[in-house]
Amino acid sequence: MPTKTVEQKERVVVRFAGDSGDGMQLTGDRFTNATAVLGNDLATLPDFPAEIRAPAGTLAGVSAFQIHFASQDIVTPGDAPNVLIAMNPAALQTNLRDLEPNGTLIVNEDAFVDRNLEKAGYASNPLEDGSLDGYRVYRVPMTSITVRATEGMGLTKKEAERSKNMFALGLVSWMYSRPTDVTTKWVEKKFNRKPDILRANLAAFRAGYNFGETTELFAHTYEVKPAPALPGTYRNIAGSTALAWGLVAASVRSGLPIFYSSYPITPASELLHELSRHKNFAVRTLQAEDEIAAIGAALGASFAGQLGVTGTSGPGLDLKQETISLAVALELPLIVVDVQRAGPSTGMPTKTEAADLLAALYGRHGESPLPVVAASTPANCFDTALEAARIAVKYRTPVILLSDTFLGNSSEPWRLPDVDGLPEIDPHFATQVNHDDGFMPYLRDENLARPWAVPGTPGLRHRIGGLEKEDVTGNISYEADNHERMTKLRAAKVAKIADDIPLLEVDDETGDAELLVLGWGSTFGAIRGSVRRTRRSGKKVAHAHLTHLNPWPRNIEEVLRRYRRVLIPEMNTGQLSMLIRARFLLDAESYTKVQGQPILAADMDEQITRRLTR
Amino acid sequence: MTTVGNGGRHGPDGGGKPGSGAPLTLTKKDFASDQEVRWCPGCGDYAILSTFRAFVPELGIPPEQMVFVTGIGCSGRFVYYMDTYGVHGIHGRAPAIATGVATARPDLSVWVVTGDGDALSIGGNHLIHALRRNVNVKILMFNNQIYGLTKGQYSPTSEEGKVTKSTPFGSLDHPFNPVALALGAEASFVARTVDVDRQHLTGVLRRAAAHDGAAFVEIYQNCNVFNDGAFLALTGKESKGLNQIRLEDGEPVKFGPDGARCVAVEFDGTLRIADTADTPEELVYVHDSGHANPAPAFALAHLSSGPTEPTALGVFRDVRRPVYGELMDRQIALATEKLGRGDLGKLLHSGDTWVVEDGGVPTGPLPS
Ligand SMILES: Cc1ncc(C[n+]2csc(CCOP(=O)(O)OP(=O)(O)O)c2C)c(N)n1
Ligand code: SF4
Ligand SMILES: [Mg+2]
């Protein structure tokens, strides 16, 4: 047996790419878990095809999963992959352009037959024509070895071939010295009712692992040491799961049952799927007939004393706006989650964008202010959901929580919080008459929030509606001064939340940065990663990130004015930067990217370097 | 009583059935709010409100256990006149909002008041889905066959050729038959009545209130400003005796002076209006609102093409089906039994986790 050398690596980016029927998401997911358990820091990003059942072998059917893992803390799923596993020509065609120069390319040689090459638009076989000379290419007959390894297990050839993703997983696990028991255990559990499939998957996985070990094709394995991290218990978590769990946590910490109603839409459906699994937390989930019904039912549940939540993506947000404005008038707690995707209209449903900020802030008729928060990393979705709930309940207001496709799908390790240390949320239901003349539904407290009196409470019967209400009594009023007063009160209530949120923190190591990068949402990882990196090469750059988009932290203007230059990167055409410029008459610069892909740390490197030539 | 599986504290979350508990002596005053009623003088809505207030105490439901949800339209004002809990929502969405209220709180008695435009035009989708789910809401649709609040455009129940402000040459639209629509949406309770017949209206409301699940009640309501007299055939002193086809369970359906006319069963199973004298007794249709098959109710709904000719009134259909909110409560109870009461710590730690011991070198906060 040839002896293999072990090479140390600090960080590696691996991308698995194949046909959507090849099980690449699962392969990536399993590799991620083995990596997480090993203690590497990591970040992942799946890239699904838009069509669910695109014809096999076509470019439209390519599905990919990228993982960045390192022995240091990292903040993004990585930019250019160092390693690309291409299960067929279409996967090579669509992903090769991202592979770093001289990067490692592992291809399933068996799939490079004429029919597949043609579907992928190759005039000649790239494995033969020299076009891959700039890469380290490993040709592995994955399909045929898998079929051989599973021979005699009672599977048809087709069934046997389906395990080739496990072969790829085994091979890459060997290359990067991943533990095998995590995967083995998972396979055993997953297929314990299908013994044939179980055996085939294990055999394919082992065959892949052994292939690396025994063939002379691969000269060495790599090792990525565990990343130093704060002590604690960790798990890997995707943004959509974290967001759903944050809502469950809000229920636990408030005692309010969650009422989640939603109409299926990519990529927000994940929230409905996840929450509907947690009925034992008294979570009520309703798949409504449309987005309008979904938010209507959530608002009704809030009126009835539960925590109404609805989730959607851009097209659904449009439909919900009239009801959101009703919630602004009713002043009831409500959370609207918008997992943003590329628009306008149906746009690119599986691709990311963060262009709903203005719609969230100003997308309704009339003066209709509400708090808006945005999550910044997958794990941060948990905290942001809790924060949205805290604000909604305390201030009796609808809150829009912005996430996006990238955040929802990508994952990172999460140091699990202590449940008892999570913020408590007091629903503070009204139980008593609050005025000499009877119950006044719009008599406000010190936060300008009105009482939440739920049906069934004796003595507090009242009617509320979308018609303008008289201050204090809540009776219908078309009186001129009253409308102006109520308009200002609603705005003041939201503005006052600024006193109740953390100040904007700046990551400015030396305190003498010249350029401040101000971000919001899922650009966090790319900005933070790049700021750290460019600083090491002497750039004087700082980073601040907004969770609260309305109201902004009290010190935002002061922070912005501290820096000579301000750069605002966004996955839209400059929505936050327009607001900052308008509000503060400040010459903030905008960097925008609307390609359906996240802003990368490399993009930020270039933007920062270009502005700080010294 | 359902309990919430979270942290030991309970949100409002279910309870007994509406109307359970100690007997109450309630009067119509207990349900009348202090707001001045502001419909046009002579509007049919007054009659409905007054009948409703007079009827509601007999249910024995404390007013704080009742919730009214209304849409936009003249009918939507109803909510302000009842001293219960209430939400005046947005145009067409009352059934959706009420679905949230009733599903979150099966202990409440939830009523929707809506109009023909509100329920069948902008809100048609929510209406049919609330009915199909059998949400525990009683939906009263005030059908005046016109858009009242917006001052007189034709509605989805206006007759063909209707001349209104928006159709000076007559409307081209074919109208909905609301009872048939509700039946088509799998409603478990469907009825029709008229604003000015206090007794009939009360009887129908009583049946609707007693029904477990969604109830759809179409109330012909005169808009004396924009569509006056639309229901005269059914309400006029002389004409009503000729045109009201009263549905009574277990009774052969006969109407007109001395029961001279009847509803006859055709050989193909459809129904038709006939002279009683010419119809063998066994072919006179005997009403059964609990019939498992909605076909007879559907046929009754189509006896007339509008309220200007003999038209069936009463309870068309009243069958039992599982109630949505109760189903959801049961599912929560079953899940809790199976999985154990939700434990957040356990949830967070479920699946693959790993531990970093104290020796791990802190490198500043992780990205979360
Ligand atoms: C989104 C929206 N579109 C339009 C309107 C205007 N509007 C208010 S009530 C109404 C029609 C009401 O007709 P109907 O439901 O028959 O009620 P009625 O006034 O006859 O009782 C319309 C079109 C509105 N309030 N909201
Ligand atoms: S417009 Fe018609 S329906 Fe509306 S209040 Fe006046 S009479 Fe009644
Ligand atoms: Mg009407």
Side-chain angles (χ1 to χ4, degrees):
Chain A
M1 191 185 285
T3 39
K4 312 259 169 151
T5 57
V6 179
E7 201 177 295
Q8 295 297 325
K9 286 258 175 198
E10 204 174 274
R11 61 182 64 246
V12 181
V13 179
V14 176
R15 185 182 295 179
F16 298 92
D19 193 70
S20 47
D22 286 344
M24 289 299 97
Q25 301 304 324
L26 189 115
T27 309
D29 198 52
R30 289 298 96 206
F31 188 76
T32 303
N33 264 43
T35 296
V37 170
L38 202 63
N40 289 148
D41 197 9
L42 64 89
T44 72
L45 174 64
D47 186 15
F48 306 109
E51 287 90 20
I52 307 289
R53 296 263 182 275
T58 59
L59 298 176
V62 174
S63 169
F65 185 103
Q66 180 158 317
I67 170 169
H68 180 188
F69 54 102
S71 59
Q72 287 188 1
D73 65 321
I74 49 175
V75 275
T76 77
D79 300 355
N82 313 113
V83 183
L84 172 65
I85 293 95
M87 300 300 284
N88 68 4
L92 182 69
Q93 179 77 285
T94 45
N95 287 279
L96 185 67
R97 72 180 81 105
D98 295 336
L99 185 62
E100 68 171 8
N102 204 30
T104 300
L105 176 62
I106 304 172
V107 296
N108 176 16
E109 188 176 25
D110 292 331
F112 283 70
V113 295
D114 290 350
R115 197 163 35 93
N116 288 345
L117 290 166
E118 200 181 303
K119 279 191 215 164
Y122 281 114
S124 63
N125 189 345
L127 302 183
E128 317 284 354
D129 65 11
S131 60
L132 301 177
D133 284 353
Y135 306 97
R136 277 179 289 165
V137 183
Y138 297 95
R139 303 168 54 156
V140 184
M142 299 192 199
T143 314
S144 42
I145 303 181
T146 302
V147 169
R148 242 178 293 133
T150 56
E151 243 165 38
M153 291 187 176
L155 299 179
T156 64
K157 183 154 172 273
K158 231 187 168 155
E159 283 170 334
E161 285 180 359
R162 222 173 277 151
S163 301
K164 64 180 178 293
N165 63 328
M166 294 304 288
F167 178 95
L169 179 60
L171 176 57
V172 183
S173 295
W174 170 81
M175 275 181 81
Y176 290 100
S177 319
R178 304 291 100 175
T180 53
D181 54 331
V182 191
T183 307
T184 315
K185 258 191 242 143
W186 179 84
V187 171
E188 282 165 357
K189 202 167 147 206
K190 168 102 184 165
F191 298 108
N192 73 348
R193 297 241 179 90
K194 297 179 186 152
D196 292 349
I197 311 278
L198 189 159
R199 265 182 294 150
N201 272 309
L202 284 183
F205 178 68
R206 248 179 270 121
Y209 198 92
N210 294 341
F211 183 85
E213 183 119 334
T214 52
T215 62
E216 287 174 25
L217 204 52
F218 297 92
H220 36 238
T221 68
Y222 302 94
E223 203 175 75
V224 180
K225 288 257 156 61
L230 292 173
T233 304
Y234 287 77
R235 69 171 304 127
N236 194 47
I237 191 123
S240 54
T241 315
L243 207 159
W245 289 7
L247 293 172
V248 173
S251 168
V252 171
R253 300 301 287 170
S254 65
L256 298 169
I258 293 288
F259 190 104
Y260 185 81
S261 69
S262 178
Y263 187 73
I265 183 167
T266 303
S269 303
E270 296 303 321
L271 296 173
L272 177 60
H273 301 168
E274 181 60 29
L275 282 163
S276 61
R277 299 173 55 218
H278 301 297
K279 292 261 146 87
N280 60 329
F281 283 87
V283 172
R284 283 170 178 72
T285 55
L286 170 67
Q287 183 176 314
E289 56 271 23
D290 59 33
E291 280 88 350
I292 301 173
I295 186 172
L299 185 59
S302 285
F303 178 75
Q306 301 194 342
L307 183 53
V309 186
T310 186
T312 189
S313 190
L317 181 68
D318 294 353
L319 288 174
K320 290 180 196 293
Q321 293 282 23
E322 189 196 7
T323 313
I324 297 175
S325 90
L326 174 64
V328 168
L330 297 186
E331 301 193 42
L332 280 172
L334 179 74
I335 300 174
V336 180
V337 181
D338 175 16
V339 189
Q340 301 164 94
R341 66 187 215 187
S345 190
T346 311
M348 301 195 285
T350 59
K351 305 291 176 194
T352 200
E353 203 160 278
D356 297 352
L357 177 61
L358 293 179
L361 289 166
Y362 303 115
R364 295 161 299 283
H365 67 286
E367 295 290 345
S368 185
L370 51 67
V372 177
V373 293
S376 54
T377 75
N380 177 258
C381 288
F382 180 88
D383 306 314
T384 310
L386 259 171
E387 174 65 353
R390 182 189 75 86
I391 294 175
V393 171
K394 182 166 175 182
Y395 295 91
R396 317 311 199 198
T397 176
V399 174
I400 295 183
L401 193 178
L402 296 173
S403 173
D404 63 38
T405 307
F406 170 53
L407 267 189
N409 291 344
S410 57
S411 74
E412 68 179 350
W414 178 33
R415 187 160 151 263
L416 295 173
D418 172 19
V419 169
D420 295 329
L422 295 173
E424 261 200 72
I425 299 170
D426 182 1
H428 197 67
F429 288 124
T431 52
Q432 296 214 325
V433 170
N434 57 356
H435 193 276
D436 291 345
D437 297 335
F439 179 61
M440 298 289 156
Y442 280 78
L443 183 60
R444 294 165 193 280
D445 67 11
E446 68 280 8
N447 299 316
L448 299 180
R450 69 173 199 88
W452 189 9
V454 305
T457 317
L460 306 188
R461 305 194 299 265
H462 63 283
R463 275 70 52 198
I464 53 178
L467 291 171
E468 183 60 287
K469 283 158 293 287
E470 186 179 57
D471 191 14
V472 181
T473 67
N475 291 331
I476 300 171
S477 167
Y478 295 164
E479 206 257 311
D481 289 344
N482 178 73
H483 175 55
E484 190 150 53
R485 184 160 62 249
M486 288 298 278
T487 302
K488 288 183 173 161
L489 273 170
R490 284 185 287 261
K493 176 176 85 168
V494 174
K496 216 168 127 48
I497 297 170
D499 297 337
D500 190 24
I501 60 174
L503 292 176
L504 183 61
E505 272 180 48
V506 189
D507 173 34
D508 183 357
E509 236 167 25
T510 47
D512 63 349
E514 288 172 26
L515 174 68
L516 173 73
V517 183
L518 177 70
W520 71 274
S522 70
T523 52
F524 180 92
I527 300 174
R528 184 58 51 104
S530 168
V531 162
R532 285 183 189 170
R533 204 148 73 189
T534 46
R535 247 187 228 149
R536 260 179 262 148
S537 58
K539 303 293 176 230
K540 299 201 160 171
V541 56
H543 175 206
H545 213 76
L546 286 171
T547 297
H548 297 86
L549 277 313
N550 192 40
W552 286 328
R554 266 181 303 140
N555 63 336
I556 184 170
E557 182 172 8
E558 183 265 314
V559 167
L560 294 172
R561 294 208 185 280
R562 234 187 277 160
Y563 295 90
R564 202 165 59 77
R565 289 177 83 166
V566 174
L567 171 64
I568 303 179
E570 291 179 86
M571 293 194 292
N572 57 47
T573 56
Q575 300 189 3
L576 178 66
S577 82
M578 182 187 82
L579 294 173
I580 294 281
R581 291 173 67 95
R583 181 83 75 86
F584 301 123
L585 292 178
L586 190 134
D587 193 16
E589 297 164 52
S590 174
Y591 164 63
T592 69
K593 180 171 173 181
V594 281
Q595 302 176 2
Q597 296 295 334
I599 288 179
L600 305 175
D603 299 328
M604 290 311 305
D605 290 351
E606 197 204 321
Q607 293 302 320
I608 292 170
T609 317
R610 185 195 295 173
R611 285 173 175 81
L612 296 173
T613 40
R614 277 175 298 163
Chain B
M1 176 88 187
T2 328
T3 47
V4 196
N6 44 32
R9 279 177 295 152
H10 295 199
D13 180 58
K17 288 239 145 217
S20 62
L24 280 158
T25 34
L26 295 162
T27 69
K28 102 195 232 176
K29 273 209 222 91
D30 294 311
F31 291 90
S33 76
D34 61 355
Q35 297 295 295
E36 188 194 336
V37 182
R38 285 192 200 161
W39 286 302
C40 307
C43 173
D45 290 350
Y46 283 99
I48 304 172
L49 177 65
S50 137
T51 300
F52 196 94
R53 282 178 175 172
F55 146 78
V56 72
E58 74 171 52
L59 297 177
I61 301 173
E64 65 267 12
Q65 284 293 118
M66 280 194 134
V67 178
F68 276 83
V69 183
T70 63
I72 305 297
C74 299
S75 64
R77 290 237 163 196
F78 198 93
V79 65
Y80 294 109
Y81 308 141
M82 295 297 297
D83 192 6
T84 62
Y85 282 87
V87 181
H88 185 205
I90 44 178
H91 198 20
R93 318 303 173 193
I97 297 170
T99 293
V101 177
T103 307
R105 297 280 304 278
D107 62 307
L108 299 172
S109 170
V110 185
W111 296 72
V112 165
V113 176
T114 177
D116 42 319
D118 196 55
L120 300 179
S121 201
I122 192 165
N125 202 25
H126 311 308
L127 176 74
I128 58 176
H129 287 274
L131 294 176
R132 126 182 117 80
R133 289 193 183 101
N134 206 27
V135 180
N136 197 16
V137 290
K138 316 301 166 211
I139 301 173
L140 311 181
M141 190 189 84
F142 298 3
N143 183 7
N144 52 17
Q145 301 194 157
I146 201 81
Y147 283 4
L149 191 72
T150 47
K151 301 199 171 77
Q153 300 83 4
Y154 75 110
S155 92
T157 54
S158 299
E159 64 276 16
E160 274 175 42
K162 181 92 180 164
V163 173
T164 70
K165 277 186 198 139
S166 60
T167 50
F169 296 102
S171 108
L172 304 175
D173 299 28
H174 184 72
F176 269 134
N177 179 330
V179 167
L181 181 84
L183 289 167
E186 299 286 308
S188 58
F189 183 99
V190 184
R192 180 192 284 148
T193 181
V194 285
D195 54 1
V196 289
D197 193 330
R198 204 178 180 104
Q199 215 186 340
H200 193 263
L201 175 57
T202 303
V204 164
L205 290 173
R206 191 174 288 136
R207 290 273 305 267
H211 176 75
D212 251 345
F216 177 77
V217 180
E218 178 187 17
I219 306 174
Y220 285 144
Q221 173 247 324
N222 192 41
C223 168
N224 55 308
V225 174
F226 296 111
N227 201 17
D228 196 22
F231 309 103
L232 252 174
L234 298 172
T235 56
K237 253 206 183 90
E238 274 104 68
S239 54
K240 83 184 203 188
L242 296 170
N243 292 313
Q244 285 198 3
I245 307 177
R246 299 283 189 107
L247 304 174
E248 305 284 353
D249 273 314
E251 299 290 329
V253 183
K254 296 180 186 172
F255 66 101
D258 305 321
R261 314 210 71 201
C262 71
V263 173
V265 182
E266 290 278 39
F267 288 106
D268 63 359
T270 55
L271 301 178
R272 146 185 92 88
I273 290 169
D275 286 331
T276 311
D278 304 340
T279 312
E281 191 61 32
E282 66 274 18
L283 289 187
V284 177
Y285 174 73
V286 178
H287 187 52
D288 175 11
S289 64
H291 203 299
N293 190 326
F298 197 72
L300 288 170
H302 283 99
L303 286 175
S304 70
S305 58
T308 52
E309 53 190 34
T311 298
L313 299 176
V315 177
F316 288 69
R317 188 164 169 77
D318 183 0
V319 295
R320 278 197 65 92
R321 255 202 308 126
V323 178
Y324 196 69
E326 291 169 15
L327 284 176
M328 196 171 290
D329 268 7
R330 203 171 316 148
Q331 197 172 57
I332 286 174
L334 283 176
T336 308
E337 203 176 291
K338 193 170 144 209
L339 305 169
R341 206 181 155 101
D343 176 332
L344 183 59
K346 247 197 219 155
L347 173 66
L348 300 189
H349 288 259
S350 60
D352 295 329
T353 60
W354 66 97
V355 176
V356 173
E357 301 291 350
D358 261 342
V361 193
T363 55
L366 280 171
S368 64

